[in-house]
Amino acid sequence: MTDNPRIGKDVIESLTLGMYEDCRFIYREYIQNSADQVDKAVAEGLINAGEDEIHITISPEERCIIIEDNATGISSDKVIPILRNIAHSTKKRGEDKGFRGIGRLGGLGYCSKLIFETSYVDEEVKSIMTWDADLLKQIINDRNNSEEAVDVLARVTDTITKKEAADKHYFKVILKNVTSDELLNVERVKNYLSMVAPVDISSQFYYRHQINEFARKNGLKVDIYNIYINGEQIYKPYTPGIYEDNQGGKKKVDDILGVDFLLSKDDNGNIIYWGWYSLSRLKGQMKQKNIARGIRLRKENIQIGDEEICKKFFANTSDQRFSFYYFGEIHAISKDLIPNSRRDYFGENAALASFEKSVKQNFLKLRELCYDASDINKNLKIIAKKEEIEEKIKQKESYFSTKEKEDLQQQLEDYKRKSDEARKQLERKKQKIEETDSSLKKIIDNLTPKAEQKDDDPFKSVPPKPGGQETTDKTKFRTDSPTYSRFSKAERKLIGRIYASIANAIPDERQRDALIKVIEEDLTR
């Protein structure tokens, strides 16, 4: 006869202390549990939809974190069975946001005491369960201790009850003596949860209404909860612009010009996933300054993985950079797409294979958009360069030498030809985009300049003479300026030759002009 199986204490570490890499996951896990109970509280009529509140209070000075909701709470007779057991959840896979029964204990790795305080409606008590995290770590690290897991759980927990008003219903998590500075960094926690938590899109994002309307028309429900950090409600931080760092601040480098949508159904017409992504001029990867950069994967509106999760959907490694050309969301709807225990992806099954195949087809379109936009932006730069040279010539008051003028005129002629070809390519690209199902159709007019071309020649100073001959002003050199009137003609010619030599030797225009200006000031002082 064999002995009954035994479960050693080390399993507790694997399922709680050692489950996740990013310590901030504990916020996600507690919010996830609160959201499930909020849903039940609304269903049971304890609160109305929209009256939910999930408050996170972070006190770096006291090294304390409190997470509290106004949902159902837990009845006193179920506190120990629910809160002390591990991986023994009563939640349903594919329906509830949490279902494994391990996330609530994640905080044990980052504090000395983990306290659960809860009250259930119509009960005049509140239950308080305290986990001694320090003792738990001590037992786990003692290699001479061979206690069973269930015995350890009993040793490190203590449960008491106190009086409470009968109409109170809530659940509160308290972490005392928090050991992680990362968990106490209010700004970083806000940034993290604004993208991970199931909250609404910021009202400053112009296209929020359009996204909500798409969801409504397709019968889609987006789970949204009122979550506060130190009294401030958080929202997904999508912005109408794209930014980069600028001496500690930020500088806008592009605009969000619209959004487009994804939607995939199975053979029975059931929605597998839906999503949206930003449309911009796609000039390059969004910098880290843009908190929301990247297309994010979500289930029940809670983020799966991190900002790089969707890179894998681009077929080629070289194309994965395009993931940060956008921001947006893919919402997994199918009940068969079940987050794994770390919630960094989905569990392997047939539904996942079908999901990935479909998403990769969508990402081929995103890839094509980036290549089309790259061609457009390249041609726009050529046109802009031609116009920049024209403007430079118009503003030019004098030249260092005849060669400088001839070089500038040749440069203009070269860019005129390039600009003509660029405009033709833009027109062909525009026709292609308008004939296909490309998202760029929505923003093509924002990307391309008007087709009309200027006929003015900046080197012409007067209209053509009758008979077709043109009259141009005599080239004016820098040394023709009244500033040099005290110098003889031969001296001005020599100075001009020196300036021309400097211009030939120093191709950088700013450095060259700065040097000549210094010389000019010394000569004319």
Side-chain angles (χ1 to χ4, degrees), residues 18 172 210 292 337 351 410 473 492 495:
K172 183 186 296 187
Q210 190 176 339
L337 291 170
Q410 183 60 53
D473 284 342
R492 291 199 303 272
I495 294 170

Side-chain angles (χ1 to χ4, degrees), residues 198-301:
V199 294
D200 201 356
I201 295 172
S202 168
S203 60
Q204 71 171 311
F205 189 56
Y206 308 144
Y207 306 100
R208 181 175 72 165
H209 175 74
Q210 190 176 339
I211 295 167
N212 292 339
E213 185 63 15
F214 177 87
R216 187 192 65 78
K217 284 184 177 179
N218 288 280
L220 299 161
K221 178 179 179 293
V222 181
D223 294 332
I224 292 173
Y225 302 88
N226 298 312
I227 300 176
Y228 304 81
I229 298 179
N230 287 6
E232 178 185 343
Q233 188 165 3
I234 60 171
Y235 298 91
K236 293 174 186 172
Y238 298 116
T239 56
I242 299 173
Y243 302 90
E244 66 180 16
D245 286 314
N246 183 31
Q247 298 178 346
K250 64 180 183 179
K251 178 177 70 174
K252 188 164 76 170
V253 294
D254 202 354
D255 296 294
I256 301 302
L257 303 172
V259 294
D260 210 350
F261 298 93
L262 309 171
L263 191 142
S264 177
K265 297 181 179 180
D266 62 21
D267 294 338
N268 297 319
N270 299 313
I271 296 176
I272 302 172
Y273 66 86
W274 74 279
W276 63 272
Y277 56 91
S278 62
L279 297 172
S280 67
R281 295 177 181 85
L282 299 172
K283 294 180 177 180
Q285 288 189 337
M286 298 182 191
K287 308 300 183 188
Q288 287 185 334
K289 194 74 175 177
N290 303 277
I291 298 171
R293 70 175 187 159
I295 297 177
R296 311 297 180 104
L297 187 56
R298 308 183 80 85
K299 184 71 186 286
E300 287 95 17
N301 201 24

Side-chain angles (χ1 to χ4, degrees), residues 1-7 148:
M1 183 176 178
T2 58
D3 293 335
N4 290 328
R6 301 176 64 190
I7 301 177
E148 297 258 343

Side-chain angles (χ1 to χ4, degrees), residues 301-316:
N301 201 24
I302 300 175
Q303 183 171 291
I304 302 291
D306 59 18
E307 63 185 23
E308 299 194 6
I309 189 69
C310 288
K311 280 186 175 182
K312 66 179 73 178
F313 299 136
F314 286 100
N316 299 320

Side-chain angles (χ1 to χ4, degrees), residues 53-116:
E53 293 185 0
I54 302 173
H55 285 274
I56 300 171
T57 303
I58 303 172
S59 176
E61 298 79 13
E62 298 178 6
R63 303 198 73 84
C64 179
I65 297 169
I66 301 174
I67 304 164
E68 181 176 9
D69 64 57
N70 65 339
T72 61
I74 300 174
S75 61
S76 57
D77 62 320
K78 294 180 180 178
V79 166
I80 291 179
I82 290 177
L83 296 182
R84 197 171 69 178
N85 292 336
I86 295 180
H88 192 66
S89 176
T90 59
K91 295 182 179 182
K92 298 177 182 179
R93 285 178 180 249
E95 295 182 18
D96 293 313
K97 297 170 180 61
F99 54 86
R100 288 188 171 85
I102 57 177
R104 69 179 179 278
L105 300 181
L108 286 169
Y110 306 100
C111 63
S112 64
K113 290 286 190 298
L114 176 63
I115 302 169
F116 299 130

